[in-house]
Amino acid sequence: MGLVSRNVVCLLGSAAIVAIATAGATHAQDGARTNDTDKKGRVTLLQRLVLGAGVEKVAIDTPQSVSVVEQEDIDQEQAATVGDVLKRIPGVNTSGSDRAFGQTFNIRGIGAPESAGEEGRIIVTVDGATKFYEQYRMGGFFSDPELYKKVEVLRGPASSTLYGSGALGGVINFVTKDASDFIADGDTGALRLKGGFNSNRNGWLGSVVFAQRMSPDAEFLLSGNFRRADPYVTGNGTEIRSSDFSAWSGLAKGTFNVGEEGRLRLSYQQWDSDADDQDYAQVGTESLFGTVDRHVVDRTGVVSYENPFSDNDWLDVKVSASYSDTRVDQTDATGNPRFGLTCATSLLFCDTEYGYRTWQFNVQNTSAWRGENWENFLTYGWQTAYQVRTAEPITLAGTPGGINFHPEGTDLKTGVFVQNEFVWDERLTIIPGLRLDWHRLSPGTSTGLTASDTDTAVSPKIAAHYRFNDHVALFGSIAHTERFATLDEVFSTGGSRNSFLPSLDLNKEASNNYEIGFALSGYDIFQQGDGVQLKTTGFYNDISDLISLNPALRPGPNALPGYVNIDKARIYGFEVELAYESDFVFANAGYSYVVGKDRTTGAYLTTVAPHELAFTLGGKLPQHDLRFGWKARVVAAPQDPALRASQANWTGTSTRFADSFDVHDVFVSWTPQDGRFAGWEAQFGVDNLFDTEFKEFLHNDAAKGRTFKLSLSKQFGW
């Protein structure tokens, strides 16, 4: 913790320097510059455009914590999993494991693979289609980073207004690639070939992208990827069992101009991985459950239409319909006969197909009013989603049956929302919002239950952002949201070792979240045209009626409900983001300090990751089209002394025990723009440069040891 504290002092000291420097430069710059676009010669991390928080604005001007990962970051990271894309965002972690089948998300201490409802506390979308999957000892999101060009992370419950009640942690938006991302000006088509290799272990990637513009109003993209790897090894050379995988993925996307300004998009993507003799438990090494053959297929289809109607301030329409289907087919489970874990004793080990299918329809419009020194944007809309959860086991007798610990059923949600953004004099922005949701959970016939569960939820918020000048701004928000119980929490009647009653009288979880922060911006600090931004956000999230497995349950039959409202939690802390960009030097840093406690017992929450500082320091040689740099993560020990363990007694088993650690990476990117090598791109990096043995607090296995990574791509145009 001492090292983290020292780095935080340095980071905050840098902020003070920025503030002093900007104050000194204010007089000279005022009058010569009128907006951020004029001031900056380039875009820093905090000046990236945010599309999913309402009216488009850059991250530093958004009155909540938001982060944007773009194509350059994904390529530079040479990410093998979607978790690799997110690991440097303050307050954001993956939980479970680094296995392709074992990752879930965690934002500000909310999210863990051991709880049935955690996936519902963070909303994940792909091109606007909501993704959701929950299964015993499995991850919740299956995809490949090569499919995406952008990821937005909106932290905190304020996002519930636009995305749906229950986003206690926040929202993660994945945006797929478009044909126009590859077709150069003056060309009508492009072909991009890419190959990659990583040494830990024998990881290979092959990728093909074909993009074609058939006319000025129609373009099409077709992308295919194949990725494989052997089981990785940790810093001390230990092999992590069942971390090997092979998967192919693909994306087909068409974009069409309709009328003068309308744009129609149709997209379909699929991720497919077939793995034999994998550990049954994918969120951490656990040999008790034996192995299983597992085939995972994830499909997403989206049709969307947008029209800004620039000649009509009353209309800016966005409509979309989507389909999501995630299926896990499990066969030939070995179980553990020694402990009586077989298909004869538990359906957990029978051949079973698990699945979630979701149909969703969204429509929204933004109406604008403008005066001499003010603007007003009113966004309102309707969303509805119908989700079907299936679990189809085949018993030893060869007959289908239901699974009491993975109950089948349907979840119907409908919500209406309104959010207003009032901007006065380009200084003051006030954003009130309100959302009303209704849902109905209906059990499947295999559960033997008939009673449906219906409820309503309300999600109000108000946020404000005030710019004193081009260099200093303050912002804050108050948001409330409520999370509905899931099918698993309401209708489940058993686990692997016990049975219990359904939980038909659960209250909604409720969250009251408060945020306040400030932002600093400076320009021409160390050289002409450079830019630096700092954003600091403090938050306090008070959560009540948390749904948890009934602590009174014991092995064997129980005449008690399985899930109950027992916990009250308080999660608070702050996040600091710093970004600097110039002609030859760039730097980014993010620090998260999060504390979570059970308000009833005073115990620390085991879903809250330790304090962390992540930073990047790099250089550019524009004349050679080179970027290079050093990345580091410095992570403290767990807050709870009971969860701390020295390296000597940590064995790497499935546990929340972890040590503090620091891990360092280096990278080099070469992207020639002209000459005979134009169209080529090379990325080289070394992760965990010093081969450190460490474990992420929210993971149940040790992380990868030293890994050399190389990728090479070539794009052709016509």
Side-chain angles (χ1 to χ4, degrees):
M1 182 60 188
L3 182 55
V4 175
S5 299
R6 289 193 295 273
N7 280 288
V8 174
V9 171
C10 292
L11 184 60
L12 297 179
S14 299
I17 293 173
V18 172
I20 294 171
T22 55
T26 298
H27 180 74
Q29 294 173 359
D30 282 349
R33 307 181 186 275
T34 59
N35 56 56
D36 288 348
T37 304
D38 294 333
K39 289 194 289 291
K40 60 185 178 60
R42 58 202 51 80
V43 176
T44 71
L45 197 68
L46 286 168
Q47 290 174 314
R48 291 177 175 177
L49 190 64
V50 180
L51 303 177
V55 176
E56 296 178 4
K57 55 180 71 67
V58 296
I60 199 168
D61 291 334
T62 305
Q64 73 176 105
S65 290
V66 296
S67 296
V68 181
V69 179
E70 294 190 337
Q71 187 67 68
E72 182 182 57
D73 309 302
I74 299 172
D75 291 341
Q76 180 180 284
E77 189 66 43
Q78 298 185 71
T81 66
V82 289
D84 293 337
V85 176
L86 304 175
K87 64 185 179 181
R88 301 185 189 280
I89 298 176
V92 180
N93 296 271
T94 57
S95 65
S97 75
D98 274 328
R99 294 176 175 86
F101 294 163
Q103 288 193 342
T104 60
F105 303 119
N106 180 287
I107 301 177
R108 291 180 175 175
I110 295 175
E114 290 86 359
S115 175
E118 290 292 347
E119 286 81 4
R121 295 180 178 124
I122 296 173
I123 294 177
V124 179
T125 72
V126 172
D127 287 344
T130 300
K131 304 293 293 183
F132 181 90
Y133 188 81
E134 185 279 318
Q135 183 191 334
Y136 185 62
R137 296 186 178 269
M138 281 284 287
F141 188 72
F142 313 108
S143 192
D144 193 285
E146 282 295 314
L147 298 171
Y148 306 109
K149 65 176 181 180
K150 185 174 186 176
V151 185
E152 294 181 345
V153 180
L154 291 74
R155 301 187 284 281
S159 304
S160 293
T161 302
L162 297 179
Y163 289 92
S165 65
L168 274 65
V171 174
I172 303 175
N173 295 324
F174 291 89
V175 182
T176 57
K177 296 174 178 177
D178 288 289
S180 56
D181 299 325
F182 299 92
I183 301 174
D185 291 341
D187 288 348
T188 58
L191 175 67
R192 181 175 182 262
L193 306 176
K194 180 179 180 179
F197 171 78
N198 78 73
S199 64
N200 193 1
R201 296 168 48 203
N202 298 320
W204 293 94
L205 165 69
S207 175
V208 179
V209 176
F210 173 79
Q212 181 65 47
R213 182 170 291 132
M214 284 79 75
S215 73
D217 295 320
E219 60 184 34
F220 184 77
L221 177 140
L222 186 64
S223 170
N225 313 290
F226 179 77
R227 192 186 296 271
R228 68 160 308 276
D230 293 334
Y232 73 81
V233 296
T234 68
N236 65 8
T238 301
E239 182 177 284
I240 299 300
R241 193 173 64 238
S242 293
S243 60
D244 57 306
F245 74 99
S246 62
W248 69 267
S249 60
L251 170 68
K253 193 171 187 179
T255 304
F256 308 92
N257 294 330
V258 180
E260 293 185 1
E261 296 181 293
R263 176 157 292 186
L264 175 69
R265 289 189 175 93
L266 299 90
S267 70
Y268 173 82
Q269 65 162 284
Q270 180 168 325
W271 187 88
D272 190 307
S273 181
D274 198 352
D276 294 340
D277 298 322
Q278 290 276 308
D279 276 19
Y280 194 101
Q282 286 292 300
V283 295
T285 301
E286 178 55 78
S287 60
L288 175 65
F289 298 99
T291 63
V292 68
D293 297 341
R294 189 175 266 134
H295 185 195
V296 180
V297 180
D298 184 272
R299 302 179 177 94
T300 307
V302 181
V303 178
S304 66
Y305 173 78
E306 300 178 8
N307 195 325
F309 291 99
S310 59
D311 59 346
N312 188 337
D313 287 345
W314 288 85
L315 294 176
D316 184 351
V317 177
K318 297 179 181 179
V319 181
S320 68
S322 64
Y323 171 72
S324 171
D325 183 13
T326 305
R327 292 187 175 273
V328 177
D329 189 12
Q330 297 184 174
T331 57
D332 298 326
T334 63
N336 193 324
R338 178 183 175 186
F339 294 97
L341 301 178
T342 66
C343 180
T345 61
S346 173
L347 292 175
L348 189 70
F349 303 102
C350 295
D351 291 355
T352 305
E353 184 182 84
Y354 298 91
Y356 278 90
R357 296 193 307 275
T358 304
W359 293 264
Q360 184 173 332
F361 182 74
N362 302 334
V363 56
Q364 74 174 52
N365 181 56
T366 299
S367 300
W369 296 267
R370 294 177 173 86
E372 184 176 348
N373 63 344
W374 60 271
E375 294 179 297
N376 193 86
F377 304 92
L378 181 68
T379 300
Y380 45 94
W382 166 60
Q383 297 175 340
T384 188
Y386 180 72
Q387 184 180 89
V388 179
R389 186 195 209 208
T390 58
E392 302 172 356
I394 302 298
T395 66
L396 287 178
T399 59
I403 300 181
N404 61 342
F405 54 82
H406 191 102
E408 295 184 304
T410 62
D411 185 351
L412 174 62
K413 291 188 179 77
T414 294
V416 293
F417 61 90
V418 58
Q419 177 171 291
N420 192 72
E421 301 189 33
F422 174 79
V423 183
W424 174 76
D425 198 29
E426 296 186 353
R427 291 179 179 270
L428 175 64
T429 302
I430 301 176
I431 309 175
L434 177 66
R435 183 185 184 96
L436 298 175
D437 284 284
W438 173 88
H439 94 139
R440 182 182 68 211
L441 295 180
S442 301
T445 55
S446 63
T447 65
L449 303 171
T450 58
S452 296
D453 179 80
T454 61
D455 208 343
T456 58
V458 59
S459 300
K461 76 169 183 184
I462 185 166
H465 184 280
Y466 184 77
R467 295 178 58 173
F468 291 93
N469 49 43
D470 289 334
H471 311 290
V472 181
L474 293 177
F475 60 90
S477 67
I478 302 174
H480 172 87
T481 192
E482 298 167 340
R483 182 185 78 90
F484 297 123
T486 64
L487 286 163
D488 191 83
E489 292 165 333
V490 175
F491 298 126
S492 180
T493 57
S496 58
R497 298 196 302 155
N498 61 338
S499 61
F500 41 76
L501 299 177
S503 306
L504 302 178
D505 297 318
L506 289 173
N507 296 326
K508 303 180 296 289
E509 294 179 344
S511 166
N512 293 312
N513 187 73
Y514 310 89
E515 296 193 10
I516 189 169
F518 65 89
L520 303 176
S521 299
Y523 307 94
D524 301 332
I525 302 300
F526 302 109
Q527 68 175 69
Q528 184 69 29
D530 69 358
V532 61
Q533 282 78 37
L534 179 141
K535 187 174 183 179
T536 299
T537 307
F539 59 89
Y540 180 96
N541 195 355
D542 201 349
I543 308 171
S544 59
D545 283 330
L546 274 172
I547 299 172
S548 178
L549 195 64
N550 193 339
L553 294 176
R554 296 291 182 268
N558 281 272
L560 296 170
Y563 289 88
V564 292
N565 297 104
I566 58 172
D567 292 327
K568 296 181 179 179
R570 180 179 292 118
I571 300 176
Y572 60 91
F574 65 91
E575 297 154 351
V576 181
E577 296 175 275
L578 177 68
Y580 175 79
E581 195 81 21
S582 69
D583 289 335
F584 301 103
V585 177
F586 63 94
N588 303 307
Y591 177 71
S592 60
Y593 179 97
V594 186
V595 178
K597 288 190 175 183
D598 186 313
R599 290 170 49 198
T600 303
T601 65
Y604 286 90
L605 300 180
T606 58
T607 59
V608 178
H611 317 319
E612 176 177 336
L613 171 68
F615 60 90
T616 300
L617 179 62
K620 295 181 285 187
L621 299 176
Q623 66 274 29
H624 300 296
D625 300 305
L626 283 172
R627 288 171 59 95
F628 53 90
W630 163 54
K631 298 182 289 189
R633 293 176 59 225
V634 183
V635 181
Q639 304 162 29
D640 187 354
L643 291 177
R644 298 178 185 174
S646 68
Q647 191 70 32
N649 63 29
W650 174 56
T651 61
T653 57
S654 180
T655 173
R656 281 287 180 262
F657 289 151
D659 282 321
S660 61
F661 65 87
D662 57 275
V663 61
H664 305 268
D665 310 331
V666 293
F667 63 91
V668 178
S669 300
W670 181 54
T671 55
Q673 303 298 311
D674 302 300
R676 59 178 177 173
F677 292 110
W680 286 91
E681 180 176 324
Q683 305 279 351
F684 173 75
V686 184
D687 289 353
N688 195 354
L689 181 64
F690 303 113
D691 210 16
T692 301
E693 172 77 359
F694 71 98
K695 184 181 81 68
E696 305 282 358
F697 177 70
L698 295 172
H699 284 201
N700 295 318
D701 290 305
K704 290 183 179 181
R706 184 187 296 117
T707 305
F708 295 90
K709 301 191 295 186
L710 175 66
S711 66
L712 185 65
S713 67
K714 169 62 175 174
Q715 180 164 316
F716 306 89
W718 54 85

